[in-house]
Amino acid sequence: MSNQNFRSILTGSFSTPCADNPTVAMIEAAYRHAGIDARYINCDVKATHLKAAVRGAVAMEWAGFNCSLPHKVAVIEYLDDLAEAARIIGAVNCVAIRDGRLVGNNTDGKGFLASLRDVVDPAGKKIFMLGAGGAARAIAVELGLAGAEHITVINRDAEKAETIAALVRDNTGSDAVGRPWSGKACVPDGTDIVINATSVGLGDAQAMPEIDLDTLAKGQIVADVIPNPPMTRFLREARERGCTSLDGLGMLVNQGVIGVELWLGKTLDAGVMKQTLRDIFSASDAG
């Protein structure tokens, strides 16, 4: 008798719509590269079926799953425990299943942080962030937990910016303020890191957030959460002004790496994931 094993480890994603999410290609390429017999199943799960999907993952002994829109908040009521950042952020995009127990985490900000740490440690740094959506919230909390000195969040709806700033002040050792975003945003003197956490530039290589580029300073780190195209117009303009650019592709890849670490305790090859996404995005640009 052969001792071959025909059972794959199961992981995946619950979201809707899900057909345009390339995470499955990125993670399965890295599984293959590492010689891990695991699958990543991209599932379209409607809001009314979320509870059943989570129960199904437990019943089928999945190792874990990602959950994306619209499930990041709704999934929390079906979990047994939350990691610190997920509790503060109030949203979960990654669930690990251990012995039938479901633990929720949020890798949005963690992916960004891992990418940022390749170029600088955010501890003691002053940060200026555009936008106050889900990505901004997760990134601001992680930066606070990582010891950033000060975070300024700007948004058209200033109340949303202040909500995020208050989260940071109340739950981390960092100081933060929310400000209204009216007209062109001006980066304050002394800023170390500028982050576009809006969706402006997604799928549009010419679009750019409303910002006064002349207020960028040489040597600043300028980051964008947009993965496609990786080199957004905002990053191109920042580079021309002597800034160090950080693209959203790294953030997306690191989220995948961190998620698999939570599920399998194994670290996949980020380079394989990044190349897979680059190939997909350049093919979609060509089409």
Side-chain angles (χ1 to χ4, degrees):
M1 285 292 288
S2 76
N3 57 355
Q4 274 178 281
N5 182 354
F6 296 101
R7 182 190 183 192
S8 300
I9 297 164
L10 297 180
T11 59
S13 174
F14 300 158
S15 66
T16 185
C18 79
D20 61 351
N21 182 351
T23 303
V24 51
M26 163 180 103
I27 290 186
E28 290 212 325
Y31 283 158
R32 282 194 300 276
H33 180 263
I36 298 170
D37 183 9
R39 298 296 313 277
Y40 186 97
I41 321 286
N42 190 21
C43 305
D44 202 297
V45 175
K46 307 292 183 279
T48 49
H49 293 145
L50 179 61
K51 184 179 183 180
V54 173
R55 283 186 164 168
V58 174
M60 291 184 277
E61 299 188 2
W62 281 35
F65 57 89
N66 288 122
C67 47
S68 198
L69 298 171
H71 306 313
K72 289 185 180 187
V73 177
V75 75
I76 292 173
E77 68 171 292
Y78 309 123
L79 307 180
D80 299 301
D81 202 5
L82 292 180
E84 181 189 28
R87 180 183 54 75
I88 298 168
I89 296 162
V92 162
N93 73 337
C94 184
V95 177
I97 306 174
R98 290 267 178 290
D99 306 321
R101 285 185 81 252
L102 299 145
V103 180
N105 216 309
N106 191 310
T107 60
D108 280 335
K110 285 178 171 49
F112 176 84
L113 202 60
S115 203
L116 180 64
R117 281 195 165 130
D118 284 341
V119 291
V120 73
D121 181 352
K125 298 286 186 277
K126 292 189 176 70
I127 292 148
F128 186 71
M129 186 153 65
L130 310 168
R137 190 182 180 101
I139 288 168
V141 167
E142 294 290 356
L143 287 168
L145 293 172
E149 183 184 325
H150 189 277
I151 303 169
T152 302
V153 184
I154 66 164
N155 196 53
R156 297 278 177 230
D157 177 349
E159 216 171 294
K160 284 185 176 167
E162 180 46 41
T163 300
I164 291 177
L167 259 190
V168 171
R169 290 195 306 267
D170 296 346
N171 295 283
T172 78
S174 298
D175 192 22
V177 293
R179 296 264 186 264
W181 183 353
S182 52
K184 282 197 168 185
C186 292
V187 180
D189 285 346
T191 299
D192 300 300
I193 302 163
V194 181
I195 303 165
N196 173 37
T198 74
S199 56
V200 178
L202 185 60
D204 183 346
Q206 293 315 311
M208 199 178 71
E210 264 197 278
I211 183 168
D212 182 350
L213 292 165
D214 294 331
T215 60
L216 291 174
K218 194 174 176 180
Q220 271 171 344
I221 289 155
V222 176
D224 207 320
V225 302
I226 305 291
N228 185 24
M231 191 45 65
T232 59
R233 183 176 163 201
F234 179 47
L235 292 182
R236 294 199 305 273
E237 297 277 4
R239 276 180 128 170
E240 278 175 24
R241 284 158 178 80
C243 301
T244 298
S245 65
L246 203 60
D247 68 44
L249 198 60
M251 176 178 165
L252 195 59
V253 166
N254 281 312
Q255 282 188 48
V257 172
I258 293 163
V260 173
E261 283 173 351
L262 290 167
W263 301 330
L264 310 184
K266 290 179 165 65
T267 304
L268 298 184
D269 188 316
V272 170
M273 291 198 204
K274 191 169 265 192
Q275 193 52 53
T276 304
L277 288 183
R278 279 196 198 286
D279 294 346
I280 290 168
F281 293 154
S282 58
S284 69
D285 289 347

